[in-house]
Amino acid sequence: MTSRRDARRAALDILYQADMMQRDPRVVLAEWADSGRPVPDFTREIVEGTADALPELDEVLERLAEGWTVERMASVDRSVLRVACFEVLHRPDVPVAAAIDEAVDAAKELSTDDSGRFVNGVLGHLARERAGAPEQS
């Protein structure tokens, strides 16, 4: 049995590969499965859900990442943010704090410490917005 953390990391790998190669994430997912690489159900759900919601997710990220466009973000950061944003907005079974913690950890591990702070800031903004809390300046 694969942990959700491992399944999420596999989804990040697939989404990052699709982003770098400018390919549909569903095609990359199918290639992984066809090559015999393990694709846990949770990985499949994240990749397919993120791919289906991509225009919405990118619009939300554009709005929340003040001074940044999605295209300007590092590909790893963009992939991490898309997954976490998908989980916060579309996966009520994933606690918001868990989605944010996993995203920040992934950004720090796969990108930079600055990326971890950036991801935390964007997702914190999303969490406050979803909770209906007033924004702090």
Side-chain angles (χ1 to χ4, degrees), residues 14-24 28 31 75:
I14 292 167
L15 290 165
Y16 173 74
Q17 181 180 340
D19 189 56
M20 290 300 294
M21 299 175 73
Q22 298 180 350
R23 298 179 69 209
D24 186 315
V28 176
E31 290 170 354
S75 184

Side-chain angles (χ1 to χ4, degrees), residues 3-4 16 23 38 40 44 52 60 63-64 70-71 83 101 103:
S3 72
R4 279 198 162 192
Y16 173 74
R23 298 179 69 209
R44 185 175 303 279
D52 290 344
V60 168
R63 183 172 46 77
L64 297 178
V70 171
E71 294 79 26
V83 167
D101 288 346

Side-chain angles (χ1 to χ4, degrees), residues 2-136:
T2 304
S3 72
R4 279 198 162 192
R5 172 180 228 135
D6 292 340
R8 194 176 279 112
R9 289 297 173 95
L12 282 172
D13 288 345
I14 292 167
L15 290 165
Y16 173 74
Q17 181 180 340
D19 189 56
M20 290 300 294
M21 299 175 73
Q22 298 180 350
R23 298 179 69 209
D24 186 315
R26 292 172 208 85
V27 172
V28 176
L29 175 67
E31 290 170 354
W32 273 47
D34 291 346
S35 73
R37 291 176 91 167
V39 180
D41 290 341
F42 191 59
T43 297
R44 185 175 303 279
E45 292 168 14
I46 292 171
V47 171
E48 290 174 350
T50 300
D52 290 344
L54 200 56
E56 172 202 7
L57 301 175
D58 284 356
E59 183 267 302
V60 168
L61 293 174
E62 287 269 337
R63 183 172 46 77
L64 297 178
E66 297 169 8
W68 287 84
T69 63
V70 171
E71 294 79 26
R72 191 172 151 229
M73 294 175 191
S75 184
V76 171
D77 299 349
R78 183 170 47 237
S79 296
V80 167
L81 282 166
R82 285 171 172 164
V83 167
C85 190
F86 167 71
E87 289 185 318
V88 169
L89 296 175
H90 297 283
R91 293 297 304 237
D93 61 316
V94 176
V96 172
I100 293 172
D101 288 346
E102 289 286 333
V104 171
D105 287 347
K108 286 179 181 177
E109 182 180 324
L110 302 171
S111 195
T112 68
D113 284 342
D114 287 340
S115 293
R117 286 189 290 275
F118 174 69
V119 165
N120 189 54
V122 172
L123 295 175
H125 189 96
L126 177 61
R128 287 186 300 276
E129 186 177 89
R130 295 284 295 168
E135 286 300 317
Q136 299 174 358

